[in-house]
Amino acid sequence: MAEQIVDQILESARSAGERLLQEAQQEKDRRLSEGTQAIEREASSAHTHGTRVADQEAQQQLSNARLEQHRKYLSTKRRLIDQVYKAAWEQLTEANRYRGWLDAQLRAHAQRGDTLIVSSLETERFQGELRDLLDNHGVTLSQQTGHFRAGFVIDRGDTRLNCSLDEAFAAEVAASEIEISGVLFGA
Protein backbone atom coordinates (compact mmCIF):
# COMPACT_ATOMS: atom_id res chain seq x y z
CA MET A 1 0.00 0.00 0.00
CA ALA A 2 2.88 2.36 0.83
CA GLU A 3 4.39 1.82 -2.62
CA GLN A 4 1.05 2.67 -4.23
CA ILE A 5 0.86 5.86 -2.22
CA VAL A 6 4.39 6.82 -3.24
CA ASP A 7 3.65 5.93 -6.89
CA GLN A 8 0.50 8.05 -6.83
CA ILE A 9 2.37 10.93 -5.23
CA LEU A 10 5.20 10.65 -7.76
CA GLU A 11 2.78 10.58 -10.69
CA SER A 12 0.92 13.61 -9.37
CA ALA A 13 4.24 15.32 -8.75
CA ARG A 14 5.49 14.70 -12.26
CA SER A 15 2.47 16.10 -14.03
CA ALA A 16 1.77 19.02 -11.73
CA GLY A 17 5.42 19.69 -11.00
CA GLU A 18 6.60 20.29 -14.52
CA ARG A 19 3.84 22.76 -15.24
CA LEU A 20 3.99 24.65 -11.96
CA LEU A 21 7.78 24.72 -11.78
CA GLN A 22 7.93 26.18 -15.29
CA GLU A 23 5.47 28.89 -14.27
CA ALA A 24 7.43 29.60 -11.09
CA GLN A 25 10.70 29.79 -13.04
CA GLN A 26 9.20 32.26 -15.53
CA GLU A 27 7.89 34.41 -12.70
CA LYS A 28 11.28 34.25 -10.98
CA ASP A 29 13.08 35.29 -14.17
CA ARG A 30 10.66 38.16 -14.80
CA ARG A 31 10.96 39.51 -11.27
CA LEU A 32 14.72 39.12 -11.22
CA SER A 33 14.93 40.93 -14.57
CA GLU A 34 12.75 43.79 -13.32
CA GLY A 35 14.74 44.01 -10.09
CA THR A 36 18.04 43.96 -11.91
CA GLN A 37 16.92 46.69 -14.33
CA ALA A 38 15.76 48.91 -11.46
CA ILE A 39 19.00 48.41 -9.58
CA GLU A 40 21.11 49.05 -12.68
CA ARG A 41 19.33 52.38 -13.18
CA GLU A 42 20.09 53.36 -9.61
CA ALA A 43 23.70 52.23 -9.98
CA SER A 44 24.10 54.31 -13.14
CA SER A 45 22.74 57.40 -11.39
CA ALA A 46 25.02 56.83 -8.41
CA HIS A 47 28.01 56.37 -10.70
CA THR A 48 27.15 59.67 -12.37
CA HIS A 49 27.42 61.37 -9.02
CA GLY A 50 30.63 59.47 -8.40
CA THR A 51 29.90 58.40 -4.89
CA ARG A 52 31.05 55.16 -3.51
CA VAL A 53 28.22 55.14 -1.01
CA ALA A 54 25.61 55.04 -3.79
CA ASP A 55 27.44 52.14 -5.44
CA GLN A 56 27.46 50.19 -2.16
CA GLU A 57 23.77 50.90 -1.71
CA ALA A 58 23.00 49.52 -5.18
CA GLN A 59 24.90 46.35 -4.36
CA GLN A 60 22.95 46.02 -1.11
CA GLN A 61 19.66 46.43 -2.95
CA LEU A 62 20.67 43.82 -5.53
CA SER A 63 21.48 41.41 -2.74
CA ASN A 64 18.15 42.13 -1.05
CA ALA A 65 16.28 41.65 -4.33
CA ARG A 66 18.01 38.31 -4.85
CA LEU A 67 17.23 37.22 -1.30
CA GLU A 68 13.59 38.26 -1.67
CA GLN A 69 13.32 36.47 -5.01
CA HIS A 70 14.90 33.37 -3.54
CA ARG A 71 12.45 33.50 -0.62
CA LYS A 72 9.52 33.76 -3.04
CA TYR A 73 10.90 30.92 -5.13
CA LEU A 74 11.23 28.68 -2.06
CA SER A 75 7.72 29.65 -1.00
CA THR A 76 6.41 28.64 -4.43
CA LYS A 77 8.23 25.32 -4.21
CA ARG A 78 6.72 24.64 -0.77
CA ARG A 79 3.25 25.52 -2.06
CA LEU A 80 3.73 23.13 -4.99
CA ILE A 81 4.80 20.28 -2.72
CA ASP A 82 1.79 20.94 -0.50
CA GLN A 83 -0.50 20.85 -3.56
CA VAL A 84 0.94 17.48 -4.59
CA TYR A 85 0.27 16.03 -1.15
CA LYS A 86 -3.21 17.55 -1.05
CA ALA A 87 -4.00 15.90 -4.40
CA ALA A 88 -2.62 12.58 -3.15
CA TRP A 89 -4.76 12.84 0.01
CA GLU A 90 -7.85 13.50 -2.08
CA GLN A 91 -7.10 10.44 -4.22
CA LEU A 92 -6.60 8.24 -1.17
CA THR A 93 -9.83 9.39 0.47
CA GLU A 94 -11.92 8.79 -2.66
CA ALA A 95 -14.75 6.46 -1.59
CA ASN A 96 -13.64 3.13 -3.13
CA ARG A 97 -9.92 3.54 -2.35
CA TYR A 98 -10.65 4.66 1.18
CA ARG A 99 -13.05 1.75 1.77
CA GLY A 100 -10.36 -0.68 0.51
CA TRP A 101 -7.76 0.90 2.77
CA LEU A 102 -10.09 0.67 5.78
CA ASP A 103 -10.85 -2.99 5.02
CA ALA A 104 -7.14 -3.79 4.81
CA GLN A 105 -6.45 -1.99 8.11
CA LEU A 106 -9.30 -3.80 9.84
CA ARG A 107 -8.11 -7.17 8.50
CA ALA A 108 -4.56 -6.48 9.64
CA HIS A 109 -5.22 -4.96 13.07
CA ALA A 110 -8.76 -5.43 14.36
CA GLN A 111 -10.12 -8.28 16.43
CA ARG A 112 -13.79 -9.18 16.83
CA GLY A 113 -15.25 -7.14 19.67
CA ASP A 114 -12.84 -4.21 19.26
CA THR A 115 -14.14 -0.68 19.62
CA LEU A 116 -13.14 1.92 17.02
CA ILE A 117 -12.68 5.61 17.64
CA VAL A 118 -13.29 7.65 14.48
CA SER A 119 -13.15 11.37 13.83
CA SER A 120 -16.24 13.45 14.46
CA LEU A 121 -16.14 14.37 10.76
CA GLU A 122 -16.57 10.71 9.80
CA THR A 123 -18.90 9.40 12.50
CA GLU A 124 -21.96 9.57 10.23
CA ARG A 125 -20.05 7.96 7.37
CA PHE A 126 -19.06 5.01 9.56
CA GLN A 127 -22.61 4.70 10.88
CA GLY A 128 -24.00 4.79 7.33
CA GLU A 129 -22.13 3.72 4.22
CA LEU A 130 -19.33 1.95 6.12
CA ARG A 131 -21.60 0.14 8.62
CA ASP A 132 -21.39 -3.16 6.72
CA LEU A 133 -17.59 -3.02 6.81
CA LEU A 134 -17.66 -2.70 10.60
CA ASP A 135 -20.19 -5.52 10.90
CA ASN A 136 -18.10 -7.80 8.67
CA HIS A 137 -15.12 -7.36 11.00
CA GLY A 138 -17.18 -7.58 14.19
CA VAL A 139 -16.18 -4.16 15.53
CA THR A 140 -18.26 -1.32 16.99
CA LEU A 141 -17.94 2.45 17.15
CA SER A 142 -16.99 4.23 20.33
CA GLN A 143 -18.97 7.23 21.53
CA GLN A 144 -15.63 9.02 21.80
CA THR A 145 -14.28 10.76 18.70
CA GLY A 146 -10.68 11.30 17.63
CA HIS A 147 -8.75 14.33 16.46
CA PHE A 148 -7.73 13.16 12.99
CA ARG A 149 -9.26 13.37 9.52
CA ALA A 150 -9.61 9.77 8.38
CA GLY A 151 -9.22 6.19 9.55
CA PHE A 152 -9.68 4.97 13.10
CA VAL A 153 -8.04 4.14 16.41
CA ILE A 154 -8.67 0.73 17.96
CA ASP A 155 -9.55 1.09 21.65
CA ARG A 156 -8.83 -2.04 23.68
CA GLY A 157 -9.10 -0.51 27.13
CA ASP A 158 -5.52 0.13 28.24
CA THR A 159 -4.21 -0.22 24.69
CA ARG A 160 -4.92 1.95 21.68
CA LEU A 161 -3.72 1.19 18.16
CA ASN A 162 -3.56 4.17 15.81
CA CYS A 163 -4.83 3.13 12.38
CA SER A 164 -5.62 6.65 11.21
CA LEU A 165 -4.91 7.51 7.61
CA ASP A 166 -3.40 10.74 8.93
CA GLU A 167 -0.69 8.73 10.70
CA ALA A 168 0.08 6.52 7.69
CA PHE A 169 0.02 9.47 5.31
CA ALA A 170 2.31 11.57 7.54
CA ALA A 171 4.80 8.69 7.64
CA GLU A 172 4.75 8.44 3.83
CA VAL A 173 5.15 12.20 3.47
CA ALA A 174 8.17 12.17 5.77
CA ALA A 175 9.67 9.24 3.90
CA SER A 176 9.08 10.64 0.42
CA GLU A 177 9.39 14.43 0.66
CA ILE A 178 13.02 14.56 -0.46
CA GLU A 179 12.30 12.22 -3.39
CA ILE A 180 9.20 14.23 -4.36
CA SER A 181 11.21 17.46 -4.18
CA GLY A 182 13.82 15.88 -6.45
CA VAL A 183 11.17 14.85 -8.97
CA LEU A 184 9.53 18.28 -8.95
CA PHE A 185 12.64 20.43 -8.89
CA GLY A 186 15.44 18.27 -10.23
CA ALA A 187 17.48 18.04 -7.04
Side-chain angles (χ1 to χ4, degrees):
M1 179 55 104
E3 290 178 25
Q4 289 175 343
I5 292 172
V6 170
D7 289 342
Q8 290 171 357
I9 291 170
L10 288 173
E11 185 58 35
S12 294
R14 283 186 189 101
S15 62
E18 290 176 10
R19 178 180 46 84
L20 293 175
L21 183 59
Q22 189 175 43
E23 290 171 8
Q25 184 65 43
Q26 289 171 350
E27 178 67 12
K28 174 189 167 205
D29 293 343
R30 183 190 65 78
R31 287 184 180 186
L32 186 58
S33 176
E34 288 173 1
T36 301
Q37 290 171 4
I39 291 169
E40 288 174 352
R41 285 191 299 272
E42 283 187 35
S44 176
S45 174
H47 183 67
T48 302
H49 293 103
T51 64
R52 188 173 190 190
V53 172
D55 191 36
Q56 290 173 344
E57 184 178 316
Q59 291 301 317
Q60 182 62 44
Q61 288 178 2
L62 178 60
S63 178
N64 288 343
R66 286 179 178 152
L67 286 173
E68 177 64 17
Q69 186 57 42
H70 185 68
R71 184 192 64 76
K72 287 179 181 179
Y73 183 66
L74 291 176
S75 175
T76 299
K77 286 172 74 172
R78 179 75 254 166
R79 193 170 52 254
L80 175 59
I81 290 171
D82 291 344
Q83 287 174 356
V84 166
Y85 286 124
K86 181 181 179 196
W89 177 268
E90 288 170 1
Q91 287 177 4
L92 290 171
T93 55
E94 180 272 323
N96 289 334
R97 281 189 181 149
Y98 183 50
R99 183 180 188 83
W101 183 84
L102 288 170
D103 188 42
Q105 291 299 307
L106 286 166
R107 268 188 275 117
H109 304 290
Q111 300 170 359
R112 290 205 168 277
D114 278 346
T115 302
L116 304 184
I117 299 171
V118 299
S119 79
S120 58
L121 300 172
E122 290 199 312
T123 301
E124 287 183 24
R125 187 176 190 185
F126 274 88
Q127 290 171 342
E129 69 183 84
L130 298 173
R131 181 88 233 148
D132 63 321
L133 189 61
L134 300 179
D135 293 341
N136 290 344
H137 290 279
V139 296
T140 60
L141 287 179
S142 172
Q143 294 297 320
Q144 183 182 3
T145 58
H147 300 289
F148 47 88
R149 295 183 291 175
F152 56 88
V153 172
I154 298 174
D155 184 3
R156 292 186 183 137
D158 292 338
T159 305
R160 289 191 174 183
L161 179 60
N162 188 345
C163 296
S164 67
L165 183 56
D166 303 53
E167 187 76 18
F169 193 78
E172 289 303 320
V173 167
S176 67
E177 190 160 6
I178 292 172
E179 184 179 357
I180 296 300
S181 183
V183 168
L184 289 174
F185 311 113

